[in-house]
Amino acid sequence: MSTSNKESILNRIRQNKPNPVLLKENNFGNFPATALQLIATLKAIKTEAVLIPHLNAVQEEIQQLQQKGNVVLNVLNNLNAVEQDQLSKKSAADLASLDYAFIKGQFAVTENGAIWVSDKNIFNRLIPFICKHLVIVIEASNILTNMHQAYTAINIREEGYGVFIAGPSKTADIEQSLVIGAHGPLSLKVYIIQKES
Amino acid sequence: MTTLTGKHASNAAAFIKDEARTDWHDETLWMVRHKRDLAAAGVLEWEALRNYASNIKEHTLSNLDDYLSEFEKNALANGIIVHWAPDAAAHNQIVYSIIKDAGIDRIVKSKSMLTEECHLNPFLISKGIEVTDTDLGERIVQLRKEIPSHIVLPAIHLKKEDVSHTFHEFLGTEANNNDPQYLTGAARIHLRDKFIESTLAITGVNFAIAETGGFVVCTNEGNADMGVHSATIHIACMGIEKIIPKAAHLGVFTRLLARSATGQAITTYTSHFHRPQPGKQIHVVIVDNGRTTQLGREDFRNSLKCIRCGACSNTCPVFRRSGGHSYHASVAGPIGSILAPNMNSTQYADLPFASSLCGSCSNVCPVKIDIHYQLWKWRQVLMQKGEGSIGKKWMMQGMAYIFARPKLYRFAGSFARKFLRTVPFLAQSKTFNPWYKNRELPQAPKQSFTEWYKKQQ
């Protein structure tokens, strides 16, 4: 049934499609990007961004949050195979109590504040969405200017899932009033590691 | 359910009875249009991006069979299950079969205009499936048994008091607490439970990439991802026109979509799905439902370039003052008015006339669809098919007759000027002249421009 449906649709397209239109090539430039540009963009989408020289500051924050009784998930360090497997099998009910998640981002884009995160950074696709507060750590050397550069830098098919995250979840569905924290995190914080040269 | 009945003019007449609300609706959408302008102005290469996006879409439409085949081949290799649906009924049946085979009786769904077009919700509900829309705006209209009034802002026709009343009734929120923060918080808690309970999630598709066999879903709330990642089965429904050739083209469309829609530089979440997690399933349902017919209409095929940003609605002086429900179609506004007559030229014959043909829709369209030109073209097609009202037909024929005869035209002009000066009340009668309902006629001049000009010689 499905094959015949497919063929009938494709045949109708063949009958009705217009003459071939050539695909043009375009180049929208390669501009240098800075951490300060990214921080400004993130601020405009209600995201705190902090420049730090080393991951130590983040590790200290994680300890403090845990001492205050928060449920914190830290996937900044490489997990071993067993830990990865355990994390990947956790359900929404298992993860519902997660207060903070600390994850690595691969690339950040200054024009819109979007940060690329994929399966290998999270192991369980729920993590960046189900936590109350999300913290993403990126390296300053991985800051790009625009989405054209971003799609050149990443291979979207390399992994099963990847997402650009730009700010905390939000909605304006009630009278166009912006409310931060819809279904995903109530806040997003970004640490940018800029190694001293 | 909101019934998709009536005609635009009479529905709009009902909408504008509440003057304050009409003004609010108008101003709010204009504010969104203004945000779009600021976002577009912030991108120096904006016009080049629009041209490129249009070229990519036109190229894709002219090779759609090849790109769909390429997409399927790559998606299958990725472990995605692909279904093909020639029409809405087949689409609904495919989705229901997947749900039934999994032995599930409740599902969550994020925003998908395609499933609205196919009337999936009423179909699944009739089969005993509990369907929860998870986009906040869609949940609000679903609880009120309405349909979205705008493709991007589903509850834009409602005020916070309406939402408060609905949530008080269905979610038990405090009566008369109209704070959007409070109401959104209540929906978050209510829908969290639905996400955790559900093992099957339906989403739409913003872009499907032929080269990689994956697809992209854009949201701000994170509801699509919450639903999909909580569930074991993900069904993504897409029209055949959602295909783009290469991953690199996403760079163009992700820059245009949110800026055009709401003035954001990008949606909060731009999620790329290529393979299911181990033990889970991803299904893609590829739907025709009249699109191949539209592809064959030379004057109207470019409407298939649409990426559903809603910019044409936000800028439209008619949409802003008549509300989305007046269009009695699942996709409301200028783009809907050129898509709907393809599906049913009798039911939607009035929609291409619900426009001032000002052209603002075409000017803001990120993929450069000539919307106002197509509205004008549809009018001609529909009048020729006999879908216009008799009054309009006679009026048009009469005017054509007069305009083709200069002497008669000059006589008619002088007669009309005398008529308007002597018995203005006849022209001002809202019964005889519906045009006068919301307008005023200027004082009729004593002479025409030609008469005046001749006297100057």
Side-chain angles (χ1 to χ4, degrees), chain A residues 137-149:
Chain A
V137 179
I138 60 153
E139 288 183 21
S141 55
N142 291 330
I143 299 175
L144 308 168
T145 305
N146 60 37
M147 294 306 287
H148 310 293
Q149 286 175 269

Side-chain angles (χ1 to χ4, degrees), chain A residues 6 12 21 160-162 173 184, chain B residues 59 72 137 188 225 272 274 292:
Chain A
K6 173 188 164 187
R12 282 179 61 81
V21 175
Y161 173 78
D173 273 346
Chain B
H59 165 77
E72 185 194 39
R188 179 186 167 98
D225 284 279
H272 302 58
H274 279 83
T292 51

Side-chain angles (χ1 to χ4, degrees), chain B residues 121-274:
Chain B
N121 282 14
F123 175 80
L124 291 180
I125 291 163
S126 77
K127 298 284 184 185
I129 309 291
E130 183 194 304
V131 182
T132 304
D133 278 319
T134 58
D135 173 84
L136 176 60
E138 283 214 317
R139 186 61 181 153
I140 294 166
V141 295
Q142 185 185 33
L143 289 172
R144 297 171 62 89
K145 302 201 186 322
E146 295 178 353
I147 63 160
S149 69
H150 183 294
I151 59 177
V152 173
L153 318 166
I156 194 66
H157 59 294
L158 298 171
K159 301 281 289 172
K160 58 189 176 192
E161 293 78 15
D162 304 322
V163 178
S164 172
H165 182 77
T166 303
F167 279 13
H168 176 62
E169 185 182 346
F170 293 98
L171 309 185
T173 56
E174 294 165 23
N176 304 318
N177 188 334
N178 304 333
D179 178 20
Q181 183 95 41
Y182 167 75
L183 296 170
T184 303
R188 179 186 167 98
I189 294 164
H190 159 69
L191 287 165
R192 247 322 140 97
D193 294 339
K194 300 283 181 190
F195 287 128
I196 292 173
E197 285 168 10
S198 173
T199 52
L200 189 145
I202 298 175
T203 70
V205 168
N206 288 94
F207 309 102
I209 308 102
E211 173 190 48
T212 66
F215 58 91
V216 171
V217 180
C218 305
T219 72
N220 278 325
E221 298 180 7
N223 57 314
D225 284 279
M226 272 300 296
V228 165
H229 306 320
S230 302
T232 48
I233 301 172
H234 173 188
I235 306 176
C237 303
M238 59 175 269
I240 55 172
E241 82 284 18
K242 291 290 166 193
I243 291 275
I244 57 171
K246 292 174 189 298
H249 297 146
L250 286 169
V252 178
F253 292 104
T254 54
R255 297 187 78 192
L256 287 167
L257 178 63
R259 285 186 174 96
S260 298
T262 58
Q264 296 168 254
I266 193 168
T267 48
T268 306
Y269 303 108
T270 306
S271 302
H272 302 58
F273 296 90
H274 279 83

Side-chain angles (χ1 to χ4, degrees), chain B residues 2-16 25 29 113 119 147-151 156-157 310-341 344 346-358 361 371 375 379:
Chain B
T2 318
T3 45
L4 296 170
T5 56
K7 289 292 164 192
H8 181 274
S10 52
N11 293 346
F15 180 83
I16 58 171
H25 190 266
L29 287 173
M113 290 319 296
H119 307 296
I147 63 160
S149 69
H150 183 294
I151 59 177
I156 194 66
H157 59 294
C312 57
S313 295
N314 300 339
T315 200
C316 179
V318 177
F319 185 95
R320 282 187 276 117
R321 292 172 180 85
S322 61
H325 287 157
S326 296
Y327 291 78
H328 61 93
S330 55
V331 175
I335 184 66
S337 298
I338 58 173
L339 292 172
N344 186 328
T346 304
Q347 191 182 351
Y348 301 118
D350 58 321
L351 294 183
F353 295 91
S355 164
S356 65
L357 298 185
C358 70
C361 46
I371 304 174
L375 287 165
R379 292 182 183 187

